[in-house]
Amino acid sequence: MLVSAKEMLTKAKAGKYAVGQFNINNLEWTKSILLTAQELNSPVILGVSEGAGKYMCGYKTIVGMVNGMLEELNITVPVALHLDHGSYDGALACIEAGFSSVMFDGSHYPIDENVAKTTELVKICNEKGISIEAEVGSIGGEEDGVVGAGECADPDECKMIADLGVTMLAAGIGNIHGKYPENWAGLSFETLDAVQQKTGDMPLVLHGGTGIPADMIQKAISLGVSKINVNTECQLAFQEATRKYIEAGKDLEGKGFDPRKLLAPGAEAIKATVKEKMELFGSVGKA
Ligand code: 13P
């Protein structure tokens, strides 16, 4: 059964480790992440962007697929199904479809509007026992065609949003989605520290988990980050494994064309990436 992310993140914050959110894009991706979480006895959050939601034939299809896998694969570790960077309408649609967690990304609205919309969604999520993530200070890079500059959040605005009763808070600390440019200034631990001081026990979320050096990840966890999002790294691993398979001409061997064989190396590569991240984040054995 899908669970809200609240309990796993409260435990992570108290235990000074982070739960990974791994974004899913298809069936193979989802299965690889769930099998790895179960093998490592780690809690996990499956992230779904609105674009991936459309690609996978809508939120109801995804809920059906994930619930089916939990049963068929005998997954017993805590699993949350979470909307990533949701719009207000997207969050409502996911709540309706059976997601156990949503993110409302109101960071591009003026703070008053972010507060108003987050407040409404907090009320609905609380009634249904669904966890909710809010964002302050936009995360840089490109996410579903939306390019942000990577700001540092205002700690007072973070407190304002945290006080609305959200489950977890994503605060921009110079992190960006996708690969980091050569001249990236690194995470602003000063901002993170100030946000953590203002928001106390609130689990903080680090987006853009791809390519952040291990020491920075560990420092961020020590300063209150208890959820880390990873997407691009799984995509790159999948792409590289598939490319090698095609270049070796293996897709042309045998009779006919078998999509299951073509996707298998990518699925294995995702397992390896997820394992590496769970070990780095310290969530292994914490289910
Ligand atoms: P990356 O694609 O940089 O791993 O970021 C993922 C993310 O933050 C999803 O919200």
Side-chain angles (χ1 to χ4, degrees):
M1 203 185 75
L2 288 168
V3 296
S4 138
K6 189 176 175 69
E7 192 182 331
M8 62 172 96
L9 293 180
T10 306
K11 281 190 188 161
K13 177 104 185 186
K16 291 226 180 284
Y17 60 93
V19 178
Q21 172 192 308
F22 300 95
N23 283 41
I24 58 173
N25 288 285
N26 62 19
L27 180 144
E28 286 75 12
W29 227 276
T30 314
K31 188 174 161 192
S32 291
I33 297 166
L34 289 176
L35 286 172
T36 307
Q38 183 68 26
E39 186 195 320
L40 299 181
N41 198 30
S42 168
V44 74
I45 299 170
L46 301 176
V48 179
S49 69
E50 294 200 351
K54 283 197 194 101
Y55 174 75
M56 288 187 278
C57 199
Y59 301 127
K60 287 184 186 155
T61 308
I62 297 167
V63 169
M65 175 180 76
V66 174
N67 277 329
M69 282 191 191
L70 295 183
E71 196 180 323
E72 299 280 352
L73 299 173
N74 293 316
I75 303 295
T76 54
V77 296
V79 178
L81 180 59
H82 178 77
L83 173 67
D84 188 29
H85 290 284
S87 61
Y88 182 81
D89 290 341
L92 289 180
C94 285
I95 293 167
E96 179 67 28
F99 275 51
S100 63
S101 189
V102 291
M103 172 182 190
F104 168 59
D105 180 356
S107 63
H108 46 283
Y109 290 116
I111 186 70
D112 291 347
E113 200 168 347
N114 192 354
V115 167
K117 289 194 159 70
T118 303
T119 304
E120 283 178 45
L121 289 170
V122 165
K123 187 168 176 283
I124 299 169
C125 288
N126 280 348
E127 277 165 16
K128 298 195 179 255
I130 292 172
S131 45
I132 174 164
E133 174 178 342
E135 178 172 322
V136 179
S138 82
I139 316 289
E142 186 176 332
E143 179 90 350
D144 276 346
V146 181
V147 182
E151 329 171 325
C152 282
D154 174 342
D156 289 318
E157 289 187 359
C158 289
K159 175 158 173 51
M160 206 190 289
I161 298 277
D163 285 349
L164 302 176
V166 298
T167 319
M168 51 199 144
L169 182 72
I173 54 166
N175 43 330
I176 42 185
H177 293 118
K179 283 186 179 171
Y180 286 87
E182 300 252 322
N183 61 354
W184 179 50
L187 298 176
S188 168
F189 293 112
E190 202 183 315
T191 307
L192 179 57
D193 196 28
V195 171
Q196 141 97 351
Q197 305 257 348
K198 294 261 178 191
T199 57
D201 290 339
M202 172 68 50
L204 301 176
V205 183
L206 183 63
H207 282 247
T210 295
I212 300 179
D215 59 336
M216 283 197 205
I217 293 276
Q218 271 147 2
K219 185 154 184 195
I221 293 173
S222 77
L223 290 171
V225 163
S226 18
K227 171 175 176 277
I228 303 178
N229 293 5
V230 178
N231 179 26
T232 306
E233 206 150 321
C234 288
Q235 294 189 348
L236 293 172
F238 192 89
Q239 183 186 334
E240 181 61 9
T242 312
R243 190 182 60 77
K244 277 193 189 147
Y245 183 80
I246 292 173
E247 275 178 8
K250 296 209 173 138
D251 57 319
L252 302 173
E253 286 171 8
K255 288 185 195 147
F257 169 74
D258 187 345
R260 286 173 281 182
K261 288 198 175 135
L262 177 65
L263 295 174
E268 285 307 310
I270 287 180
K271 282 187 193 164
T273 304
V274 171
K275 181 168 191 265
E276 188 190 305
K277 294 293 167 197
M278 286 179 165
E279 283 166 353
L280 175 62
F281 300 166
S283 71
V284 174
K286 297 294 192 330

